[in-house]
Amino acid sequence: FLKSNKTFGSGTERRTAPDGFFNTMPLVFRNGSIHSNVHCVGENFMEDAWLYRSCEFRNFCFDLDDKSFVIFQSPEQRALETFAQDMGSNVSVSTIGTTNITLAIGGRNPKWRDLRALHWFPKRLRQEDMEAGGYYELPPNLVWIPFHSFAAYNPGHLIWDDWFPIFKLLQMFGRVHSPRLLTRVSVKLWGDCNWNPKKSEACEQLFAKFLPAMGVKNDTFSTSDDFRFSFTGPKRQSKYVCAPTGFAGIGMLTDHGGKMHGWAPIDYTSTHNVGGGPTLLAFRNFLLQNFELPVHVAPLGPPYKVIFSKFSSDTMGRLKGFGEQIKLLTRNFKKTRLLVESHRMKYLALREQAKVTSGAAIYVTVTGGGAFTCTFLPPGATLVVFYEAVGGRYKNKETGQPARLDWDLLNHASHLRVHWLPIETLDEKKDKQLFLDLIRNEMDILSHALPRDNGTMW
């Protein structure tokens, strides 16, 4: 994020050389002290409010020795906090970080019975605690976001349970276009990135592949334990590194909120993403812009491009190459009407996946983490999802019920037309005829696309 003019800093002082680096980000040392400000949203006045709470912090700092995030309260803030607490539960002030307030540093997995590790808030210190040492300042327009990864070894979880909620944080506080510094908080929960060495390695590999989608350089990313700090001069001048702004609080911002993704009947009794389609489309555009790819595409056809995502799942029941469906379309449509492509997306760089998919008129995939690539589909496109009609599970037992994974997110993607077809019988005659008729119907709809407010046709 350091621009090529080689000067940085805030206020009237401009530096030509940094006083240090945090994960390759340039630092300027400042004498004196600062105090922080807090603004939280999502309060529901219930015990589970911490799951819904997201906060913006001004002057958001990190303690290099303690390896923890901190904020500094002014005397006035402490006095207000004391007075508000004395008034009891009838008083709620959204701009003070009272000692009983926490938030969820990451998304919630319903399988986690003990959620205490997700409770998080920066450590509260007094403004006077900084006076003796000063602080190192990160670039003035930077947003620092600490988070716990839901399960980044799965690309669907990484995109929809980590990156999507972080985008929502940026959007809700009006900083989508600001440079950002992401730091993974070192928390250990069942099945997360810290659960075992194998999962840790898999997470590191996918983070390296997926960070560019967030506009984040790999060398700026770390956990709160393995950051890289260096200073110029004979000694370190402070143990605090501060950003002008920080956001935290993912909790219920994931694609599924507090429920599972569609494995059990109970997952269908409530809906989490009502009205969320425009946010998903904005997230898609955000990712493409970070890849410097066009957001708006030319009319989707003819010829209409259909993409089959082959073998996108490693699960045996969903390990499909769509050979019969590919032959069906190539035999029934001329190339002047329909262009058929197939890809194993996992072997493509993420930018290439985005580039290929962002121009598709029709996308065919199976449920699971590999389906995330449909995020890049353009407005007006068709998404065909094959799912296990009897693949449901509840408490690790087969239910014989449908497993329409990620239905809640995809069925509210209002810029797409989403269809669900059973995978167990996809190669049977009647299923192939249904698929063929569906494609014909979608091509007819595409041929009668209407203009939208943003200039696209769908």
Side-chain angles (χ1 to χ4, degrees):
F1 305 116
L2 181 60
K3 303 299 182 181
S4 58
N5 61 16
K6 298 183 180 180
T7 61
F8 54 94
S10 61
T12 59
E13 182 181 8
R14 302 288 286 174
R15 304 289 186 89
T16 58
D19 295 316
F21 293 91
F22 184 91
N23 288 354
T24 74
M25 302 292 289
L27 303 172
V28 172
F29 176 73
R30 304 290 183 192
N31 282 306
S33 65
I34 53 174
H35 73 270
S36 308
N37 289 309
V38 180
H39 170 215
C40 296
V41 299
E43 179 63 58
N44 68 359
F45 309 106
M46 303 294 288
E47 289 186 3
D48 65 352
W50 67 281
L51 284 167
Y52 297 86
R53 185 177 292 120
S54 299
C55 298
E56 175 184 15
F57 305 94
R58 297 293 177 87
N59 294 325
F60 186 57
C61 302
F62 184 78
D63 186 325
L64 296 168
D65 293 341
D66 194 41
K67 299 182 179 181
S68 63
F69 287 89
V70 299
I71 54 174
F72 294 91
Q73 293 182 307
S74 67
E76 294 79 9
Q77 288 171 335
R78 295 201 306 275
L80 174 61
E81 178 182 337
T82 299
F83 192 64
Q85 288 179 325
D86 288 344
M87 294 284 289
S89 60
N90 289 334
V91 173
S92 175
V93 181
S94 67
T95 53
I96 57 174
T98 57
T99 54
N100 62 339
I101 281 183
T102 61
L103 51 80
I105 194 60
R108 177 193 175 189
N109 186 337
K111 292 183 178 180
W112 295 335
R113 294 185 179 181
D114 187 351
L115 297 177
R116 286 176 294 180
L118 273 186
H119 280 269
W120 187 91
F121 207 80
K123 184 183 297 184
R124 303 158 179 85
L125 301 176
R126 303 176 305 167
Q127 183 178 356
E128 303 92 280
D129 293 331
M130 182 185 283
E131 286 184 349
Y135 62 99
Y136 288 99
E137 180 188 63
L138 285 158
N141 59 342
L142 186 75
V143 175
W144 200 345
I145 303 176
F147 73 101
H148 169 257
S149 178
F150 188 94
Y153 49 82
N154 178 300
H157 286 313
L158 179 50
I159 285 287
W160 290 332
D161 294 316
D162 289 349
W163 285 181
F164 191 32
I166 289 174
F167 169 77
K168 289 180 180 179
L169 281 176
L170 293 167
Q171 187 182 61
M172 77 169 66
F173 292 116
R175 297 294 295 273
V176 168
H177 302 296
S178 297
R180 56 208 71 94
L181 176 62
L182 304 183
T183 300
R184 184 163 67 88
V185 174
S186 298
V187 172
K188 185 175 182 179
L189 288 162
W190 175 86
D192 70 1
C193 289
N194 294 326
W195 186 246
N196 58 46
K198 183 178 180 180
K199 291 191 182 299
S200 295
E201 182 180 358
C203 285
E204 289 179 8
Q205 292 174 354
L206 281 193
F207 276 128
K209 185 175 183 177
F210 281 63
L211 279 167
M214 292 296 288
V216 174
K217 294 181 179 179
N218 283 280
D219 58 5
T220 68
F221 180 72
S222 73
T223 72
S224 54
D225 286 336
D226 64 4
F227 58 87
R228 300 168 301 282
F229 172 80
S230 63
F231 57 87
T232 59
K235 65 176 183 177
R236 190 185 76 178
Q237 300 182 76
S238 174
K239 68 175 183 175
Y240 298 117
V241 173
C242 300
T245 306
F247 301 150
I250 286 179
M252 290 294 182
L253 298 181
T254 62
D255 71 319
H256 57 84
K259 59 181 184 177
M260 295 292 288
H261 292 74
W263 287 105
I266 194 173
D267 300 337
Y268 301 86
T269 59
S270 63
T271 304
H272 179 67
N273 290 288
V274 173
T279 301
L280 183 60
L281 177 57
F283 176 57
R284 174 255 185 193
N285 294 342
F286 168 78
L287 299 176
L288 292 179
Q289 289 168 344
N290 289 330
F291 281 133
E292 298 183 345
L293 291 172
V295 169
H296 300 305
V297 297
L300 298 179
Y304 303 104
K305 183 168 73 171
V306 56
I307 292 179
F308 288 87
S309 179
K310 300 193 304 181
F311 306 112
S312 63
S313 174
D314 294 330
T315 301
M316 185 57 64
R318 289 179 265 141
L319 190 62
K320 301 297 180 181
F322 297 116
E324 290 296 314
Q325 289 68 35
I326 292 172
K327 287 191 292 185
L328 187 67
L329 297 189
T330 55
R331 289 172 180 171
N332 282 273
F333 298 99
K334 295 180 179 179
K335 291 183 179 180
T336 55
R337 289 286 296 162
L338 193 71
L339 293 176
V340 179
E341 295 182 10
S342 61
H343 299 276
R344 291 202 69 176
M345 293 296 182
K346 66 185 295 184
Y347 296 124
L348 298 181
L350 190 59
R351 186 181 188 278
E352 187 63 21
Q353 293 185 43
K355 183 178 179 180
V356 167
T357 308
S358 63
I362 302 171
Y363 190 81
V364 183
T365 187
V366 302
T367 55
F372 83 89
T373 311
C374 72
T375 305
F376 302 117
L377 284 171
T382 295
L383 173 62
V384 181
V385 186
F386 283 89
Y387 72 98
E388 293 180 280
V390 292
R393 301 183 67 85
Y394 184 64
K395 294 184 178 180
N396 295 320
K397 294 182 179 180
E398 296 180 358
T399 63
Q401 298 295 311
R404 299 181 181 93
L405 305 184
D406 302 309
W407 70 274
D408 195 328
L409 177 71
L410 300 179
N411 282 359
H412 290 95
S414 49
H415 60 290
L416 305 176
R417 291 181 300 280
V418 182
H419 311 287
W420 300 82
L421 302 180
I423 201 170
E424 290 89 349
T425 57
L426 85 165
D427 289 334
E428 293 185 5
K429 184 177 180 179
K430 63 180 182 358
D431 288 71
K432 289 194 290 185
Q433 186 61 50
L434 173 64
F435 179 73
L436 182 61
D437 290 345
L438 175 62
I439 298 302
R440 284 198 178 107
N441 184 67
E442 293 305 304
M443 291 170 64
D444 178 68
I445 293 173
L446 286 162
S447 71
H448 295 88
L450 296 174
R452 305 291 168 155
D453 291 343
N454 61 6
T456 60
M457 297 284 292
W458 51 286

